[in-house]
Amino acid sequence: MKAKNKSITDRFKAHLTVKGGYKGGKSIQAKKNQKTYKLSSNENPIGPSPKALEAIQQHLQQIHIYPDTTDIRLRQALEIYYKHQLHQDQFVCAASGSELLDIMLRGFVDQGDEVIVSSPYFVAYKMFAAWSGGKVVDVPLQTPNYELDVEAILHAINDRTRIIFLTSPNNPTGTYIPKATLETLLAQVPADVLVVLDEVYWHFASKEDYTKALPYLADYQNLIAVNSFSKTYGLAALRVGYAYMNKEVAHYLRQLCRPFLIGKLSLEGALAALQDADFIEQTVQLVTQERTFLQAKFKALNIEFTPSQSNFILIQPPLPSSEFVTFLREQGISVRPVDNFGAPGKVRISIGNREANKALIGAIKQLEVVL
Ligand SMILES: *Cc1c(COP(=O)(O)O)cnc(C)c1O
């Protein structure tokens, strides 16, 4: 019998219809003969790792065959990459860093549970938390320098708290969590609350008191680190990421990974990129050099910016952000407004190669003449 006055849309789950979801950095519709620069998604300014390209080409003929059932080969390679400080059983690999965030949320968060974030933050945390029915509790970073508010985070923890998301270097601010701050927090978070340290931009951090999660794993069973092949390794389109943690937690989370989770070409590309030390070194060198270049130019142009430890810089544009973004777009340069990250009026600019950065500075100069 047919139910009356109901349609399939009435069966949509309310908690899944999320507003303000993730939007990728826009690509530019080039005008005729116009050079374009995509500085909106923190991608590698050099391109992909050449070793990864070679590996992918070698395996193209095999794409009619199912890939590896599990991530074991990548885990073994990661153990070697981490010089056996971590065991292969401590890694969980998936089809992107984002997917790992989703897996953690599915593993630990039920309807009504809480996750703590600190705005401005990476939008995926909120989006995936909503999929799990979780409630996002925001403990904003402290202005003007975007420091983590450890006391307020500890205060926000209650019986429903399941995960605290930390990002260092943070997206979109480019700031980092000093070692001492992380230590203070870890020492006081209850042992049944997961602390997720998203360190996908770690290669670009150069400050002495920057730290990864690695040194703290032995002491904290509730600590997980998230990494990605999208940024430094130049493989954003392949969708590969990994997380490391204690064995018990890894074993638990691995049960949420579908068989054949990582595509053949993605796995081979990631394995090759992981060994491509020269490429990583070149990338980090270029980004740090260009970061210094851009920050000096911003200073000279009186553009307010947050000093960055990452491959992008957060600025306060000289005119309303939507107008600024549109103006740059007309010049062939795409950058990212980050109102939806929780930084209203600010714009995040990915660090490009020298040519792109010069084009950006040229455009801003043009704008300042008009203003
Ligand atoms: C880019 C990014 C990720 C992961 O990206 P994937 O492409 O999904 O691997 C995770 N966290 C932050 C903060 C990021 O900026």
Side-chain angles (χ1 to χ4, degrees), residues 96-98 122 125 167 171 198 200-201 228 230-231 239:
S96 79
S98 301
F122 184 50
Y125 307 149
T167 322
N171 178 6
D198 184 333
V200 307
Y201 297 103
S228 169
S230 297
K231 311 285 163 54
R239 316 307 299 134

Side-chain angles (χ1 to χ4, degrees), residues 157-199:
I157 296 173
N158 61 41
D159 289 347
R160 297 307 301 258
T161 307
R162 295 293 177 268
I163 302 182
I164 300 170
F165 283 109
L166 306 175
T167 322
S168 182
N170 186 41
N171 178 6
T173 60
T175 50
Y176 71 107
I177 302 171
K179 202 167 173 263
T181 307
L182 182 67
E183 286 173 6
T184 309
L185 182 72
L186 285 174
Q188 294 176 81
V189 169
D192 66 337
V193 173
L194 197 66
V195 176
V196 175
L197 182 62
D198 184 333
E199 50 185 43

Side-chain angles (χ1 to χ4, degrees), residues 72-185:
I72 185 66
R73 276 202 297 146
L74 187 51
R75 280 158 50 200
Q76 286 162 346
L78 284 163
E79 177 176 330
I80 295 167
Y81 178 79
Y82 279 89
K83 302 192 169 63
H84 303 282
Q85 290 169 286
L86 292 166
H87 186 269
Q88 61 190 55
D89 289 351
Q90 291 183 264
F91 294 97
V92 179
C93 308
S96 79
S98 301
E99 174 139 51
L100 284 157
L101 297 169
D102 184 32
I103 287 172
M104 287 168 210
L105 282 153
R106 283 193 281 131
F108 288 97
V109 174
D110 275 328
Q111 287 276 347
D113 287 342
E114 297 183 3
V115 307
I116 295 177
V117 295
S118 292
S119 64
Y121 61 90
F122 184 50
V123 182
Y125 307 149
K126 176 165 78 183
M127 186 177 166
F128 302 164
W131 291 347
S132 295
K135 187 180 150 210
V136 170
V137 176
D138 183 18
V139 180
L141 298 176
Q142 295 167 288
T143 47
N145 298 326
Y146 298 117
E147 286 136 359
L148 197 68
D149 194 342
V150 173
E151 282 313 308
I153 288 177
L154 293 170
H155 195 75
I157 296 173
N158 61 41
D159 289 347
R160 297 307 301 258
T161 307
R162 295 293 177 268
I163 302 182
I164 300 170
F165 283 109
L166 306 175
T167 322
S168 182
N170 186 41
N171 178 6
T173 60
T175 50
Y176 71 107
I177 302 171
K179 202 167 173 263
T181 307
L182 182 67
E183 286 173 6
T184 309
L185 182 72

Side-chain angles (χ1 to χ4, degrees), residues 168 176-180 182-183 197 199 202 205 207-216:
S168 182
Y176 71 107
I177 302 171
K179 202 167 173 263
L182 182 67
E183 286 173 6
L197 182 62
E199 50 185 43
W202 74 269
K207 295 274 189 200
E208 249 173 56
D209 60 345
Y210 173 78
T211 184
K212 298 188 67 170
L214 185 61
Y216 304 102

